[in-house]
Amino acid sequence: PPQHAAELATPASKLAVKGVNSNKTTTTIDDMLGQWDTFRFAPIRESQVSRAMTRRYFQDLDTYAESDIVIIGAGSCGLSAAYVLGKTRPDLKIAIIEASVSPGGGAWLGGQLFSAMVMRKPADAFLREVGVPYEDEGNYVVVKHAALFTSTIMSKVLAMPNIKLFNATCVEDLITRQALDEGEGVRITGVVTNWTLVSMHHDDQSCMDPNTINAPLVISTTGHDGPMGAFSVKRLVSMQRIEKLGGMRGLDMNTAEDAIVKGTREIVPGLIVGGMELSEVDGANRMGPTFGAMALSGLKAAEEALKVWDI
Ligand code: AHZ
């Protein structure tokens, strides 16, 4: 309609603030101060916003339908693994699938509903690597806000060109193939996904089939058992790929953290498990609000993955 055409045809300079060209990429905050009476945003049509999002999203779905590595879960372990992998191997396509709208898992708070996050040494090395400040308390360090750790690592991970986060998307099954080696059983070769809101309604809606991502390697870091947690290892039991789960044991910080880091490994071909999901396989203790093991389990998961990709 002509009205719309006229809107779009209006030169940005006419709509811009006096003395501010909103098309200019070099506009500073100072340029705007004191100019609010004449202030206007550069014009846009609603469809431009829709297309800016959907074009990229569907391009990403296309690009990452064949990924090199899929990380399930963007909690402290998954994000740590993504950081190391994305930085070390910018040539690999890495998809992170996070069920929640907001990535970060349990790492937005330190414990209970407290702000600070504790990491036992030597996990302070990981904080220095990522650039998160902390207070040194001797055997352990304290980050002022758990949210500072989570937002800092997330900002680094999401800025990497070889990483795509699909949030509000959950893994609802694993893709399997008969392994080539006799006796190896099936190997994991990708993930089956759906928008989380759809996954939550399989009981009351019919025929909402999922989507898929093929990948030779999956790193599962979905946390301990819960409505969504321990997803991959529970699925391995129901598909009879592992016999049973060990079940996460009670809290013991001193044994729990070492066990999770050391135990981080490829538990069936094509599937590396890290973070608290591993406690459900191995019957390891939980550690409560000490997060060093999550960062270093992510580091070890990345190391295990790179063994595959360095071949
Ligand atoms: O939303 C989940 C969370 O962000 C996500 N997730 C779970 N199932 C999923 C699925 N598809 C996609 N099927 C899924 N995403 O996985 C993330 C797990 O994050 P987390 O913080 O729960 O786990 P983590 O292992 O990274 O960190 C555990 C932190 C804990 S728990 C604990 C204790 O209970 O003692 N102590 C620590 C430090």
Side-chain angles (χ1 to χ4, degrees):
Q3 182 196 355
H4 294 169
E7 269 176 40
L8 279 179
T10 310
S13 55
K14 287 230 173 104
L15 294 167
V17 205
K18 191 173 75 176
V20 179
N21 179 354
S22 50
N23 262 354
K24 222 172 61 170
T25 50
T26 51
T27 302
T28 66
I29 298 288
D30 285 343
D31 289 336
M32 287 179 261
L33 294 175
Q35 306 287 338
W36 303 115
D37 287 348
T38 51
F39 173 88
R40 284 194 74 178
F41 280 103
I44 200 159
R45 190 167 169 75
E46 288 75 6
S47 59
Q48 290 179 300
V49 178
S50 300
R51 284 176 174 151
M53 296 184 293
T54 55
R55 187 184 303 131
R56 285 169 177 78
Y57 197 86
F58 287 100
Q59 178 62 54
D60 284 334
L61 282 179
D62 184 60
T63 303
Y64 287 86
E66 283 285 351
S67 293
D68 295 314
I69 299 176
V70 171
I71 298 175
I72 316 176
S76 43
C77 181
L79 286 172
S80 300
Y83 173 85
V84 178
L85 284 169
K87 185 176 168 191
T88 318
R89 290 292 300 266
D91 55 314
L92 297 181
K93 263 192 290 179
I94 302 165
I96 307 176
I97 312 296
E98 168 51 53
S100 176
V101 169
S102 46
W108 290 110
L109 291 162
Q112 199 159 319
L113 295 179
F114 308 136
S115 311
M117 172 184 267
V118 173
M119 284 208 188
R120 292 164 62 203
K121 290 184 177 178
D124 53 320
F126 195 80
L127 295 177
R128 287 191 294 281
E129 161 66 30
V130 180
V132 176
Y134 56 79
E135 290 169 50
D136 195 325
E137 298 274 358
N139 281 349
Y140 62 94
V141 301
V142 184
V143 181
K144 186 180 172 198
H145 292 104
L148 178 59
F149 168 75
T150 304
S151 58
T152 304
I153 192 167
M154 206 184 299
S155 70
K156 305 256 157 112
V157 165
L158 298 186
M160 293 180 189
N162 55 328
I163 289 187
K164 169 65 189 173
L165 167 72
F166 294 95
N167 50 337
T169 304
C170 83
V171 169
E172 56 175 46
D173 209 343
L174 301 169
I175 301 178
T176 63
R177 290 277 188 282
Q178 199 58 45
L180 292 178
D181 291 343
E182 191 76 22
E184 211 186 45
V186 292
R187 65 177 298 125
I188 307 306
T189 58
V191 295
V192 176
T193 64
N194 223 323
W195 279 307
T196 305
L197 292 175
V198 172
S199 292
M200 289 165 69
H201 285 274
H202 284 309
D203 288 342
D204 56 48
Q205 300 287 327
S206 60
C207 200
M208 299 190 294
D209 267 333
N211 193 20
T212 56
I213 299 180
N214 284 114
L217 199 57
V218 174
I219 300 177
S220 192
T221 64
T222 67
H224 57 65
D225 201 1
M228 288 287 196
F231 173 79
S232 300
V233 297
K234 287 193 289 191
R235 187 68 183 104
L236 289 180
V237 174
S238 64
M239 68 167 76
Q240 301 183 349
R241 184 60 186 81
I242 58 180
E243 199 182 323
K244 65 180 175 85
L245 295 179
M248 182 180 73
R249 304 293 159 87
L251 192 151
D252 179 348
M253 285 185 190
N254 281 299
T255 57
E257 292 211 271
D258 291 358
I260 293 296
V261 175
K262 287 183 182 165
T264 300
R265 65 192 184 282
E266 191 178 28
I267 62 167
V268 303
L271 183 77
I272 293 168
V273 177
M276 284 311 282
E277 182 166 2
L278 195 64
S279 73
E280 301 288 356
V281 185
D282 291 346
N285 292 97
R286 66 189 298 198
M287 70 289 296
T290 50
F291 282 81
M294 296 305 113
L296 298 190
S297 173
L299 179 67
K300 181 141 189 284
E303 188 185 18
E304 297 293 314
L306 292 175
K307 281 184 198 160
V308 175
W309 277 104
D310 280 348
I311 292 170

